[in-house]
Amino acid sequence: MRTNLAYQRCINPTCAATYDTGELHTSCPKCGYLLDVSYDWDKAAVPDKLSDFEAMWSQRFNPVRFSGVWRFHELLPFAPQERVVTVGEGQTLLQQADAVGKFVGMNAGQLHLQYEGMNPSGSFKDNGMCAAITHANLLGAKRAACASTGNTSASLALYCSATQLMKAIIFIGSGKISYGKLSQALDYGALTVQIAGDFDDAMIRVREIAQRLGIYLVNSVNPFRLEGQKTIMFRVLEALRWETPDWIVVPGGNLGNSSAFGKAFMELKQLGLIDRVPRLAVINASGADTLYELHERRGVRWNGGHVDLDPIREYNDHMDRHGIKADTLASAIEINRPVNLKKCLRALEFCEGVVRQVSDQEILDAKAKVGAGGFGCEPASAASVAGAKLLRREGVIAPSDRVVCVLTGHELKDPTVTVAYHTTDQEVFQKTLGSRGVTKASHANKAIAVPNELDDIIKAIQLYA
């Protein structure tokens, strides 16, 4: 059973083909572009103002309203409430972070961190996964698959295990997943397929396998997944008392979040629920900077949907000819061929966005400052903070702007990098970080070695604490 409010529509304006939500597509069968989930808003029960959603908090005994995704059901009404799948995702926090703001160069009170590491599987992926699994269940799927650098696989495995609705099948590249994330997929019972190659190779294979075997694909080419990820921005607005910030800064990997955020603001503006939109900054790691290369160096734009595809093909051919593979310690965004590129270009155009790249050194230094402020995050998350610092240094972001940096994943997703940054063991530092181009740990919190003597321990505490 589905609602009669939703349908799928090709994002290519010269095609604009539509499909029923009962069909499973990861691209438009007619032209190959990505699809949106679209709505007949005139028939939907959309509140008159965003603050009306505050009433949903009084219904927290209802699992739909307890969820930080489905609490906003009226803004993603593709499934009836009684068919919604939830494990309590979206109980996340927007935190004013003045210590991190000082590091970035912001005035007091102006930098906020949206901490998505508080989700059940430890990353933002749960926002989209509950929506994708809801759609999969509506279609009667018994198996769901993804390619993953780690977080998507952990989220898919969790939802399949917790709900017992379907079997999770995950594709990972050899040596391209942290143990923190891999342990989740294994513990939750997913079938894990490790192939020779990286994420981009795994993505090609999982799309082929899903099509051939009729398996439901949950990667962010799936438009229903991005519907769930829209709600991160709804919660940001909620925490800011429904005031729009000046900037949203987000890491850029497969570009699902930036695409979803752009769609969220496009719809809110269309519905008259906001009167202005924030600017969007998407931050690549320098070792996986396809979006930066295309948008900032080669001038690729959405252009109202008429994207010049030649520079994209030329750059992809260049990477193939020279064997260029993504390489960054920020493994969650270690992606060369982002599948949501065109949707992200659309979001950048609508939100007057910018794209930047930051080094692994800058990412890990920012990560250490975030952790010192009490919100440990995985390396990819800290790209948003490092990017905000860069944009502040360039004068693109003003110190008085209200800035929200999205922290996409929990610190324990990749503890190896964290320990290596703070270690006193230079061999460990060099093996894990130095070999990847990180030369120093300016914000390290190193352990203090002392003899096992009471007086020596007391002296050390008095000296350092």
PDB file of all heavy atoms in Angstrom, residues 130-147:
ATOM      1  N   CYS A 130      16.207   4.415   6.672  1.00  0.00           N
ATOM      2  CA  CYS A 130      14.850   4.086   7.114  1.00  0.00           C
ATOM      3  C   CYS A 130      13.844   4.379   6.013  1.00  0.00           C
ATOM      4  O   CYS A 130      12.831   3.677   5.874  1.00  0.00           O
ATOM      5  CB  CYS A 130      14.502   4.836   8.401  1.00  0.00           C
ATOM      6  SG  CYS A 130      14.313   6.620   8.244  1.00  0.00           S
ATOM      7  N   ALA A 131      14.115   5.391   5.195  1.00  0.00           N
ATOM      8  CA  ALA A 131      13.220   5.709   4.083  1.00  0.00           C
ATOM      9  C   ALA A 131      13.364   4.684   2.965  1.00  0.00           C
ATOM     10  O   ALA A 131      12.367   4.238   2.380  1.00  0.00           O
ATOM     11  CB  ALA A 131      13.515   7.117   3.562  1.00  0.00           C
ATOM     12  N   ALA A 132      14.600   4.293   2.648  1.00  0.00           N
ATOM     13  CA  ALA A 132      14.815   3.299   1.595  1.00  0.00           C
ATOM     14  C   ALA A 132      14.225   1.946   1.973  1.00  0.00           C
ATOM     15  O   ALA A 132      13.580   1.281   1.148  1.00  0.00           O
ATOM     16  CB  ALA A 132      16.311   3.160   1.302  1.00  0.00           C
ATOM     17  N   ILE A 133      14.424   1.527   3.224  1.00  0.00           N
ATOM     18  CA  ILE A 133      13.887   0.243   3.670  1.00  0.00           C
ATOM     19  C   ILE A 133      12.360   0.290   3.731  1.00  0.00           C
ATOM     20  O   ILE A 133      11.683  -0.709   3.455  1.00  0.00           O
ATOM     21  CB  ILE A 133      14.493  -0.168   5.018  1.00  0.00           C
ATOM     22  CG1 ILE A 133      16.006  -0.420   4.864  1.00  0.00           C
ATOM     23  CG2 ILE A 133      13.812  -1.410   5.582  1.00  0.00           C
ATOM     24  CD1 ILE A 133      16.365  -1.535   3.907  1.00  0.00           C
ATOM     25  N   THR A 134      11.805   1.452   4.068  1.00  0.00           N
ATOM     26  CA  THR A 134      10.352   1.611   4.014  1.00  0.00           C
ATOM     27  C   THR A 134       9.842   1.355   2.600  1.00  0.00           C
ATOM     28  O   THR A 134       8.873   0.609   2.387  1.00  0.00           O
ATOM     29  CB  THR A 134       9.946   3.021   4.479  1.00  0.00           C
ATOM     30  OG1 THR A 134      10.213   3.156   5.884  1.00  0.00           O
ATOM     31  CG2 THR A 134       8.466   3.284   4.238  1.00  0.00           C
ATOM     32  N   HIS A 135      10.509   1.962   1.610  1.00  0.00           N
ATOM     33  CA  HIS A 135      10.097   1.759   0.220  1.00  0.00           C
ATOM     34  C   HIS A 135      10.321   0.315  -0.214  1.00  0.00           C
ATOM     35  O   HIS A 135       9.463  -0.285  -0.889  1.00  0.00           O
ATOM     36  CB  HIS A 135      10.853   2.714  -0.701  1.00  0.00           C
ATOM     37  CG  HIS A 135      10.425   2.636  -2.132  1.00  0.00           C
ATOM     38  ND1 HIS A 135      11.264   2.201  -3.146  1.00  0.00           N
ATOM     39  CD2 HIS A 135       9.235   2.907  -2.727  1.00  0.00           C
ATOM     40  CE1 HIS A 135      10.616   2.227  -4.294  1.00  0.00           C
ATOM     41  NE2 HIS A 135       9.381   2.650  -4.081  1.00  0.00           N
ATOM     42  N   ALA A 136      11.444  -0.256   0.168  1.00  0.00           N
ATOM     43  CA  ALA A 136      11.732  -1.648  -0.185  1.00  0.00           C
ATOM     44  C   ALA A 136      10.662  -2.572   0.367  1.00  0.00           C
ATOM     45  O   ALA A 136      10.217  -3.515  -0.313  1.00  0.00           O
ATOM     46  CB  ALA A 136      13.105  -2.042   0.349  1.00  0.00           C
ATOM     47  N   ASN A 137      10.236  -2.320   1.583  1.00  0.00           N
ATOM     48  CA  ASN A 137       9.210  -3.149   2.206  1.00  0.00           C
ATOM     49  C   ASN A 137       7.865  -2.995   1.501  1.00  0.00           C
ATOM     50  O   ASN A 137       7.118  -3.970   1.342  1.00  0.00           O
ATOM     51  CB  ASN A 137       9.081  -2.786   3.685  1.00  0.00           C
ATOM     52  CG  ASN A 137       8.253  -3.789   4.463  1.00  0.00           C
ATOM     53  OD1 ASN A 137       8.361  -4.996   4.260  1.00  0.00           O
ATOM     54  ND2 ASN A 137       7.426  -3.294   5.365  1.00  0.00           N
ATOM     55  N   LEU A 138       7.567  -1.778   1.055  1.00  0.00           N
ATOM     56  CA  LEU A 138       6.341  -1.558   0.292  1.00  0.00           C
ATOM     57  C   LEU A 138       6.342  -2.380  -0.999  1.00  0.00           C
ATOM     58  O   LEU A 138       5.289  -2.848  -1.453  1.00  0.00           O
ATOM     59  CB  LEU A 138       6.194  -0.071  -0.055  1.00  0.00           C
ATOM     60  CG  LEU A 138       5.854   0.891   1.086  1.00  0.00           C
ATOM     61  CD1 LEU A 138       5.871   2.323   0.582  1.00  0.00           C
ATOM     62  CD2 LEU A 138       4.497   0.565   1.689  1.00  0.00           C
ATOM     63  N   LEU A 139       7.528  -2.558  -1.579  1.00  0.00           N
ATOM     64  CA  LEU A 139       7.652  -3.312  -2.822  1.00  0.00           C
ATOM     65  C   LEU A 139       7.789  -4.816  -2.590  1.00  0.00           C
ATOM     66  O   LEU A 139       7.871  -5.587  -3.541  1.00  0.00           O
ATOM     67  CB  LEU A 139       8.855  -2.813  -3.621  1.00  0.00           C
ATOM     68  CG  LEU A 139       8.603  -1.672  -4.627  1.00  0.00           C
ATOM     69  CD1 LEU A 139       7.948  -0.476  -3.968  1.00  0.00           C
ATOM     70  CD2 LEU A 139       9.889  -1.261  -5.313  1.00  0.00           C
ATOM     71  N   GLY A 140       7.857  -5.220  -1.319  1.00  0.00           N
ATOM     72  CA  GLY A 140       7.972  -6.640  -1.007  1.00  0.00           C
ATOM     73  C   GLY A 140       9.361  -7.213  -1.183  1.00  0.00           C
ATOM     74  O   GLY A 140       9.523  -8.428  -1.362  1.00  0.00           O
ATOM     75  N   ALA A 141      10.380  -6.378  -1.128  1.00  0.00           N
ATOM     76  CA  ALA A 141      11.758  -6.845  -1.317  1.00  0.00           C
ATOM     77  C   ALA A 141      12.174  -7.787  -0.195  1.00  0.00           C
ATOM     78  O   ALA A 141      11.833  -7.573   0.971  1.00  0.00           O
ATOM     79  CB  ALA A 141      12.700  -5.646  -1.370  1.00  0.00           C
ATOM     80  N   LYS A 142      12.941  -8.808  -0.535  1.00  0.00           N
ATOM     81  CA  LYS A 142      13.459  -9.754   0.444  1.00  0.00           C
ATOM     82  C   LYS A 142      14.975  -9.646   0.602  1.00  0.00           C
ATOM     83  O   LYS A 142      15.546 -10.219   1.529  1.00  0.00           O
ATOM     84  CB  LYS A 142      13.096 -11.188   0.034  1.00  0.00           C
ATOM     85  CG  LYS A 142      11.591 -11.430  -0.018  1.00  0.00           C
ATOM     86  CD  LYS A 142      10.923 -11.096   1.315  1.00  0.00           C
ATOM     87  CE  LYS A 142       9.409 -11.303   1.260  1.00  0.00           C
ATOM     88  NZ  LYS A 142       8.747 -10.838   2.509  1.00  0.00           N
ATOM     89  N   ARG A 143      15.633  -8.932  -0.322  1.00  0.00           N
ATOM     90  CA  ARG A 143      17.072  -8.699  -0.229  1.00  0.00           C
ATOM     91  C   ARG A 143      17.356  -7.244  -0.582  1.00  0.00           C
ATOM     92  O   ARG A 143      16.715  -6.685  -1.483  1.00  0.00           O
ATOM     93  CB  ARG A 143      17.850  -9.619  -1.174  1.00  0.00           C
ATOM     94  CG  ARG A 143      17.747 -11.091  -0.825  1.00  0.00           C
ATOM     95  CD  ARG A 143      18.536 -11.967  -1.784  1.00  0.00           C
ATOM     96  NE  ARG A 143      17.974 -11.939  -3.131  1.00  0.00           N
ATOM     97  CZ  ARG A 143      18.414 -12.690  -4.136  1.00  0.00           C
ATOM     98  NH1 ARG A 143      19.434 -13.527  -3.946  1.00  0.00           N
ATOM     99  NH2 ARG A 143      17.853 -12.616  -5.330  1.00  0.00           N
ATOM    100  N   ALA A 144      18.311  -6.643   0.120  1.00  0.00           N
ATOM    101  CA  ALA A 144      18.716  -5.262  -0.157  1.00  0.00           C
ATOM    102  C   ALA A 144      20.237  -5.215  -0.188  1.00  0.00           C
ATOM    103  O   ALA A 144      20.907  -5.876   0.607  1.00  0.00           O
ATOM    104  CB  ALA A 144      18.176  -4.308   0.898  1.00  0.00           C
ATOM    105  N   ALA A 145      20.781  -4.428  -1.118  1.00  0.00           N
ATOM    106  CA  ALA A 145      22.231  -4.422  -1.326  1.00  0.00           C
ATOM    107  C   ALA A 145      22.762  -3.003  -1.406  1.00  0.00           C
ATOM    108  O   ALA A 145      22.034  -2.046  -1.706  1.00  0.00           O
ATOM    109  CB  ALA A 145      22.589  -5.180  -2.606  1.00  0.00           C
ATOM    110  N   CYS A 146      24.062  -2.876  -1.154  1.00  0.00           N
ATOM    111  CA  CYS A 146      24.740  -1.593  -1.308  1.00  0.00           C
ATOM    112  C   CYS A 146      26.221  -1.825  -1.554  1.00  0.00           C
ATOM    113  O   CYS A 146      26.772  -2.868  -1.191  1.00  0.00           O
ATOM    114  CB  CYS A 146      24.571  -0.710  -0.067  1.00  0.00           C
ATOM    115  SG  CYS A 146      25.467  -1.300   1.400  1.00  0.00           S
ATOM    116  N   ALA A 147      26.868  -0.855  -2.187  1.00  0.00           N
ATOM    117  CA  ALA A 147      28.322  -0.730  -2.148  1.00  0.00           C
ATOM    118  C   ALA A 147      28.627   0.277  -1.062  1.00  0.00           C
ATOM    119  O   ALA A 147      27.831   1.193  -0.823  1.00  0.00           O
ATOM    120  CB  ALA A 147      28.858  -0.254  -3.488  1.00  0.00           C
TER     121      ALA A 147
END
